[in-house]
Amino acid sequence: MSILADRLGRIKPSPTLSLIAKAKELKAAGEDVIGLAGGEPDFDTPDYIKQGARDAMDAGQTKYTAVGGTPELKKAIIEKFKKDNDLEYADNEVIVGTGGKQVLYNALMATVNLGEEVIIASPYWVSYPDMALLAEGEPVFVSCSEENSFKLSPEDLENAITPKTKWLILNSPSNPTGSAYTRDELAALGAVLKKHPHVWILSDDMYEKIVYDDFPYYTIAQVVPELKDRTLTVNGVSKAYSMTGWRIGFAGGPAELIGAMTKIQSQSTSNPSSISQAAATAALTGDQSFLKDWCESFKERRDVVVSMLNDADGISCLTPEGAFYVYPSCAGCIGKETPDGKVIQSDSDFTQYLLESEKVVCVPGSAFGLAPYFRISYAASMESLQEACARIQRACASLSKRAAA
Ligand code: GLU
């Protein structure tokens, strides 16, 4: 008999993390691989943030902290929510976790009972369904079409809500599509949610700071304040400050929920790293002006990638408002034949073909619940993005129409 618990059978390893590892492995083996699977900025963590960590170490801040975060970091988070999102939280209404991932996990573990439903708009970030499943909940997927920029419509939300719905997960700008909800779109979703007081809202705002063309960013509790007492607003320093390895995420929400999440954390990991918390405090309270340059640089890359992909045979790609992902369709490649005689039947076949023929690593849309698409992270140098897109163009041009049977 297996030693493993039944719950392990419900989940799979994170496909994004597996592909990031695969690209690193191939690179280490000397392959000329271009890895566009990983959702992490290629910039170094700014020095003022590193200095915050050095100072903390020198000052002996190397011991346990309060489970839910140091007073300094909580204060910085409360100020951030007030300044950026017009949301007021008290001390017992915020929590710091080991990455946004742990915060989301704690929230679902603290609230979801057996069989309760979690509404997830597809395409979704890979870990939402598996976290819901680990918490013994039922992910309920709502497909969001490319025509609607992969965003959830109020009608589809209404139809997905049942008496068993516990949460709606919203993610704007989205991983994997980069699409972001406007203020009006959030208000329209909010109007539906107001009619269903048993539904809680988990707003994953991890890419808030990475938006382009002056996109006006809003989060749902700000747009629809009546929902604030059943909304968990999740954010973190990983993407905006290029701090993926430091593992600091945070959330604001009702005290009862935050207390329950802190209780779970107290019995699992205790506090997030004290040094990382000091660095995150520096990140949130320091000069934010570098962000403008970073976004400018991401935007240039987005524009090149979108244009080069749209020039590839069989690929079409929207221009998203934020994050550093594009989610092109490869529908025009399905049914075609590779030079060595394999027929591309799915987006997984297509990304496998890109890997084998051109050594470009992307994540297939099947990992995000909407096919036939694939995700490219353009948080890479312009040079490697141009080279990767040229390789994709070449791979697409080498496909031939399938001979009639
Ligand atoms: N969030 C990033 C991504 O989607 C990092 C990997 C992960 O945690 O999924 O690529």
Side-chain angles (χ1 to χ4, degrees):
M1 217 172 93
S2 166
I3 191 173
L4 302 181
D6 294 344
R7 76 177 73 88
L8 259 291
R10 293 187 213 124
I11 62 161
K12 56 188 178 325
S14 162
T16 42
L17 294 183
S18 308
L19 280 163
I20 295 168
K22 170 108 194 160
K24 281 194 178 142
E25 202 181 286
L26 289 170
K27 206 158 207 156
E31 301 268 11
D32 175 23
V33 74
I34 306 182
L36 304 179
E40 75 179 335
D42 54 324
F43 303 113
D44 195 9
T45 305
D47 200 56
Y48 80 93
I49 298 175
K50 291 185 185 170
Q51 193 55 47
R54 288 184 204 109
D55 292 346
M57 280 189 277
D58 291 345
Q61 291 174 27
T62 53
K63 311 283 190 212
Y64 292 133
T65 74
V67 170
T70 61
E72 295 77 17
L73 180 51
K74 280 187 157 191
K75 182 165 174 279
I77 290 166
I78 289 168
E79 277 163 16
K80 176 254 171 293
F81 277 131
K82 177 85 198 107
K83 178 164 62 74
D84 295 342
N85 312 115
D86 206 14
L87 290 173
E88 304 237 16
Y89 292 111
D91 224 41
N92 60 353
E93 293 175 319
V94 293
I95 183 171
V96 184
T98 302
K101 217 170 203 172
Q102 188 188 23
V103 174
L104 295 165
Y105 180 81
N106 285 346
L108 294 174
M109 290 304 279
T111 55
V112 175
N113 290 307
L114 181 68
E116 285 182 334
E117 294 172 354
V118 179
I119 298 177
I120 300 172
S122 320
Y124 47 73
W125 177 51
V126 295
S127 293
Y128 299 142
D130 293 61
M131 285 183 187
L133 288 166
L134 273 176
E136 302 194 309
E138 291 288 337
V140 171
F141 301 110
V142 184
S143 271
C144 301
S145 67
E146 186 176 348
E147 289 68 45
N148 199 32
S149 303
F150 306 110
K151 288 188 267 190
L152 181 63
S153 72
E155 300 74 37
D156 287 347
L157 170 60
E158 180 81 67
N159 291 335
I161 294 173
T162 75
K164 283 163 83 182
T165 307
K166 188 68 167 251
W167 287 99
L168 161 68
I169 302 185
L170 276 179
N171 175 215
S172 172
S174 149
N175 178 0
T177 68
S179 292
Y181 288 83
T182 64
R183 186 188 181 120
D184 287 352
E185 287 166 341
L186 291 173
L189 293 175
V192 174
L193 292 161
K194 276 199 269 182
K195 291 191 276 172
H196 300 281
H198 67 291
V199 178
W200 282 63
I201 303 100
L202 206 162
S203 182
D204 179 350
D205 300 353
M206 190 56 82
Y207 296 89
E208 168 185 15
K209 298 284 181 191
I210 304 169
V211 287
Y212 313 115
D213 307 311
D214 297 323
F215 180 84
Y217 180 84
Y218 290 96
T219 189
I220 192 157
Q222 168 187 24
V223 177
V224 193
E226 299 94 313
L227 297 178
K228 182 172 173 251
D229 61 2
R230 51 187 168 107
T231 299
L232 185 72
T233 304
V234 179
N235 212 316
V237 294
S238 294
K239 313 292 177 173
Y241 302 94
S242 200
M243 293 177 69
T244 45
W246 299 78
R247 309 309 301 132
I248 295 291
F250 54 84
E256 186 187 16
L257 172 59
I258 296 292
M261 291 163 62
T262 312
K263 187 172 172 183
I264 290 187
Q265 198 158 295
S266 79
Q267 293 290 21
S268 52
T269 56
S270 307
N271 62 275
S273 150
S274 58
I275 313 295
S276 294
Q277 289 192 71
T281 309
L284 293 176
T285 54
D287 181 4
Q288 310 284 301
S289 55
F290 68 94
L291 271 170
K292 201 168 161 289
D293 297 340
W294 284 14
C295 285
E296 210 35 62
S297 160
F298 279 140
K299 180 183 135 70
E300 275 169 29
R301 304 179 207 184
R302 176 200 66 175
D303 291 343
V304 166
V305 167
V306 168
S307 144
M308 288 185 76
L309 288 172
N310 279 321
D311 283 342
D313 264 0
I315 306 283
S316 68
C317 183
L318 295 181
T319 302
E321 294 86 6
F324 34 68
Y325 305 112
V326 286
Y327 200 61
S329 163
C330 56
C333 299
I334 307 289
K336 290 185 178 170
E337 207 169 281
T338 66
D340 56 1
K342 288 188 205 136
V343 177
I344 307 275
Q345 277 163 343
S346 63
D347 51 32
S348 308
D349 286 353
F350 180 71
T351 53
Q352 187 61 27
Y353 167 60
L354 291 183
L355 173 62
E356 283 167 12
S357 64
E358 294 288 353
K359 307 232 177 328
V360 175
V361 186
C362 315
V363 188
S366 48
F368 307 100
L370 194 76
Y373 294 88
F374 60 108
R375 187 189 80 173
I376 285 185
S377 164
Y378 55 85
S381 73
M382 187 65 106
E383 197 192 349
S384 50
L385 289 170
Q386 280 170 327
E387 170 62 19
C389 291
R391 292 187 192 185
I392 293 173
Q393 289 176 346
R394 196 163 58 206
C396 290
S398 306
L399 292 172
S400 50
K401 288 248 172 346
R402 193 181 180 185

